[in-house]
Amino acid sequence: MTHVEELTKFLSIPSVSAQPEHAADVDRCADYLVQKLSSLGFSAKKYRTDIHPIVVAHSPHVEGKPTVLIYGHYDVMPVDPLSEWKSDPFAAEIREGRIYARGASDDKGEIMAHILGAQELIAELGSLPLNVTYLFEGEEERGSESLQELIKDPAMQKELACDVIVVSDTGMAAPDVPSFSYGLKGLCCFELEVHGPKMDLHSGIFGGAVANPITALCEMLASTHDENNHVTVEGFYDGVADIEDWEKESWKRVPGMSDAELAELTGVPSLRTEKGFSGAECVYARPTFEPNGISGGYEGEGSKTVIPTHAIAKISCRLVPGQDPVDIMRKVEAHFKKVCPPGITMKFTMQHAGDAYMSNPHSPFGKAAQKALHDTFGNPPVLVREGGSIPVVASMSKILGKDALFLGLDLPDSRIHSPNENMRLDIFEKGIAMAKSLLLLMSEVKA
Amino acid sequence: MTHVEELTKFLSIPSVSAQPEHAADVDRCADYLVQKLSSLGFSAKKYRTDIHPIVVAHSPHVEGKPTVLIYGHYDVMPVDPLSEWKSDPFAAEIREGRIYARGASDDKGEIMAHILGAQELIAELGSLPLNVTYLFEGEEERGSESLQELIKDPAMQKELACDVIVVSDTGMAAPDVPSFSYGLKGLCCFELEVHGPKMDLHSGIFGGAVANPITALCEMLASTHDENNHVTVEGFYDGVADIEDWEKESWKRVPGMSDAELAELTGVPSLRTEKGFSGAECVYARPTFEPNGISGGYEGEGSKTVIPTHAIAKISCRLVPGQDPVDIMRKVEAHFKKVCPPGITMKFTMQHAGDAYMSNPHSPFGKAAQKALHDTFGNPPVLVREGGSIPVVASMSKILGKDALFLGLDLPDSRIHSPNENMRLDIFEKGIAMAKSLLLLMSEVKA
C-alpha cells in the first residue's frame, strides 16, 4: 500500500470522540492502530477506558539507547456543518495536491507520518536504532479525560517512562518554514445556561414585563470584554507574564502571521485584537475568551414572536502559563453571577480543562528535533508558541518528568476543526522523512 | 356534532402558516371553513393569494340592519419545541376542563365560538337578525401580507364594507372578568446576521486575533437596552404618548396583572420591567425590543472549540400608537450599523410589520359589545390595551373607515404561542353565548 493509501484508510474511520453515535468508530480506529503497529513488530495494546480506548505500543528494546515517547490522538472533531464540505469528510479526496478529510491534519496525518517514518527505517535498518513508545489517545478533542486518569496509575507511568516526549499535533508556519514550538496554551471549556419564564411566552402578552433569557445571555457575554477587547473577568490576567522582547521580535518574522496575512487568510476585513497586541501575540501568548456556540428561542424558518424559557452558550478560554484553568472557570462563574440580571437564574457547567505548558527548546533532544526539521525542510525552524492546546501534554510532562517537544505539520490553511480540513501531500511525505530523521538523530543523544 | 367535536375537528388541521411544509394544510383549513359556513347558508368563498388563502363569507342580506365584519385567523404558530407538549398539538386532548391543541385559543377557538354562536341563532330564529361578514385569513401569525394586499383592492373594500369590525383574537383578564380592548400594539419583525471569518476557525490557532461573530452579536444586542431597560435605539420613543392617569388606575385593578401575579404566572423570581413602569403598563402601553431566537456556532453535544463564520438573531419589537414600524426598523438598523464591531459585517433583514391601533370604546357598537360581555360573563368588562398585535386590523379599520372592537377569550394561562396551548371549555361555551348575544344586541344598533 502507498503512503497515501495507508492515510486514506486511516482517515476513512469516523472517529468523532464528542458524539456518542461514533463510539464504535472510535473503538474501530484504535483496533486499526494496534493491528498496524503490531505488523511493524511493536508490542501494541489497546487500553479500555470509561470513554474511548488508548493505544500504547513499544518497539523491540534496544539497550543503552534513549526512549522516545511519541504522542498523538486518533480521534477527530465533529464535521458539522456538513453542507460546507466539498467532499465526504470520511472519504478522503485528493484535489490540487491536498488530501481532504476530517483528521487529515489534526491529527491522523501526523500520526501516520510518524508510523510510516518508523516503517521505512525498519525496512532500511531491519530495526529501529532506539526505543520508541507510541501513545495514541481517542479523547484529545473532548478533553483527554481517560488519559489524564490513566497516567495517574504508577504502572502506566512505568510503561510510559521515557527520556523525551515528542508531540506532532501542532502547526508549521509555512510549507518551507518548519516550526518548533516551546509553548502550548491551556484550555477550559464550560457552558452558561440562563433560565427565565417557565414556558415560552407570547412576546406581546408578556413582553416588557419579563426578562428575556436571550437578552440576558447577550448582556452577560458582552460584559466579558471591554472596549479594548481585554477580558473583564476579575483576576483573569493574574499570573500572566509579559511577552519577552525576543519573542515579539521573532514572531514578527513568522511567515503568514502578520496582521494583514491573518486577515487575508481568514477572510475578515480587519483583525480584532486585544489593544496593544498584534494578532500573532494574541494567538501565541495572550489568554482568550471565546463563545463557540449560542442557542435559544426560535431558530426555524419565518418568525415566532416568543420570549423563550432559556438560552445557552458554549464557551472556551485559551490560557497561558500562570493561569489555572479551574481557577479561571471559578472566576468566570463568579463574574456571571455578578452580572446575571433580575428575573434570570443561571446554570454554569464546567466541562474539560487543561494546563498551559512551556518547555526548554535548547535541550539536547530539542536541538536534535530542530536539526531534523532543518534537514528535512531546508530551513531552520521558527521558534513559536502554540495558540492551540493539548491538555494532557502538560500533565504527562509533569508526571513523567521529561520535556515535551512540538514538531507540527498543520499549515495555517489546513482548516483543522473546520469544513474541508486537509493536508498537503508534499508536507505529508516530508513529515515521514522528518520522522525518520528525528529517530536517527535522537538515537545519538546520550540519555 | 357537539360544539367540542366541531372545535376538535377544526384544531386537527395543522395550519402552520410560517412553515412551507404545512402549505397544503393551511389550504385544507380554508376549505374546511368554506364548507362549514356554506352549510349555515352563508355565501362563502376562498380567495387564493400568493401565500395562503383568505375566506370571506356573507349571511343572507337583511335590509335596514347593520353589517358586522367579524375578523379572525385560521392559521397557527409553529409548535416547536414539540417535546414540551404533553399531547399531540394537532390531536386535541381534554384534560381538567381544558382542550389542549395549537390554535385552541389563538385563534381557532374564538373563530369557532363565533361560527357556533351564529349557528345557534339561525337554529332558533331561522336566520340572522343582521348582516354578518366573516373574514378569516391564513397569514396572521406571519404578517398578514396577502390580506394587507387584498384590502387595497376597491372591489374587496366594497365586499368588506361594514358598520363595525369585531375582532376576537385578544385576551381576557380572568374567567369571570371579560376584557374589552381599545388598543393593540404594532409589530415589526427582523433578523440581524453578523459575519466574521470565511470559514469556521480553530479557537486556538486564531482566537484573539479575529472578531468572534457570537461575541459581536451579543455586544450588538446588549447595546439595545440601558441599565434601566430603556431601549437605547436613537429615536425609538419618538411620538410615544404618556400613559393616561385613568389608564394607570384602571390597569392596577385588572385581575392577574399585578407585578406579583405576572411573576407567579410566568414562573420568574421577579419581573424585569422598564424603570418607572409596572408590568401591566409595559405590556399594555410601552414599546418593547425582544430577541425571539439566537443561533450560531456549535450547538451539538460536547464541545467544539471554533470561532464560527456567522451568528444570527431573530428579533421583534412591539410598538404603540405614534411609532411607525418601518421607521423603527430603519432606526434599529442604523443603531446596529453604529455598534457593529471591526472585523464583522452585518446583514439586516426586515420581515413583517404592522401599525399599532386604538379605537373608541364608547361608540354605540362599543357599548353593545360591552353589554354582550357583561351579560354573558356576569361582570362588566375591564378596559385594557393589548400587548399583542393584529397587524392587519389597523389597516382594515383605516381603509374601511370603521372602528374595530376587540372581544377576547384568551386567558393569561392559555399558553398561546407556547407548548400546551389550551382553552377552557366553559370559556368556549360562554364565547358561543357571547357571540349570539353580540349579534342580537348589534342588530338593534342604528347603523
Side-chain angles (χ1 to χ4, degrees), chain B residues 100-345:
Chain B
Y100 287 85
R102 171 59 85 223
S105 276
D106 183 16
D107 182 42
K108 287 176 170 176
E110 277 145 314
I111 287 182
M112 190 49 67
H114 278 286
I115 293 173
L116 294 176
Q119 178 176 305
E120 294 208 342
L121 216 49
I122 293 166
E124 291 168 21
L125 311 176
S127 68
L128 293 176
L130 77 173
N131 300 292
V132 173
T133 300
Y134 288 121
L135 171 63
F136 299 139
E137 66 155 319
E139 296 171 28
E140 196 276 333
E141 299 294 12
R142 53 169 289 168
S144 304
E145 203 181 310
S146 298
L147 182 54
Q148 292 277 17
E149 204 46 46
L150 197 64
I151 55 178
K152 290 179 190 158
D153 171 1
M156 181 51 58
Q157 290 164 20
K158 194 151 170 293
E159 173 157 10
L160 298 179
C162 62
D163 300 294
V164 66
I165 304 166
V166 167
V167 178
S168 281
D169 188 26
T170 54
M172 67 187 292
D176 57 349
V177 183
S179 298
F180 183 72
S181 302
Y182 57 96
L184 280 178
K185 272 185 174 172
L187 177 72
C188 57
C189 297
F190 46 91
E191 284 185 358
L192 173 64
E193 193 168 349
V194 296
H195 287 264
K198 65 185 176 189
M199 69 273 202
D200 282 1
L201 300 178
H202 186 293
S203 71
I205 296 179
F206 296 100
V210 175
N212 183 322
I214 297 174
T215 306
L217 182 60
C218 289
E219 290 170 348
M220 293 167 77
L221 288 176
S223 76
T224 57
H225 293 79
D226 66 16
E227 65 283 6
N228 296 324
N229 294 316
H230 295 305
V231 175
T232 57
V233 173
E234 195 176 345
F236 187 79
Y237 295 101
D238 292 356
V240 175
D242 292 342
I243 303 170
E244 302 284 340
D245 292 341
W246 71 266
E247 293 181 296
K248 292 189 176 185
E249 279 316 303
S250 69
W251 296 344
K252 280 183 190 145
R253 292 188 301 274
V254 179
M257 290 300 289
S258 73
D259 285 7
E261 288 167 309
L262 283 170
E264 166 69 23
L265 175 63
T266 57
V268 295
S270 63
L271 295 190
R272 190 186 192 193
T273 62
E274 190 180 352
K275 190 175 184 187
F277 297 94
S278 70
E281 288 163 3
C282 290
V283 167
Y284 291 156
R286 295 296 296 172
T288 63
F289 181 105
E290 301 283 5
N292 306 119
I294 191 165
S295 171
Y298 185 66
E299 302 177 35
E301 242 185 292
S303 66
K304 186 176 176 210
T305 52
V306 291
I307 297 173
T309 56
H310 66 285
I312 185 164
K314 292 169 178 282
I315 305 163
S316 60
C317 292
R318 299 281 173 172
L319 308 175
V320 299
Q323 292 178 299
D324 171 64
V326 173
D327 172 62
I328 289 293
M329 285 195 280
R330 290 210 185 90
K331 287 169 172 169
V332 170
E333 180 175 18
H335 174 88
F336 283 139
K337 281 187 171 149
K338 202 171 57 194
V339 298
C340 186
I344 294 288
T345 54

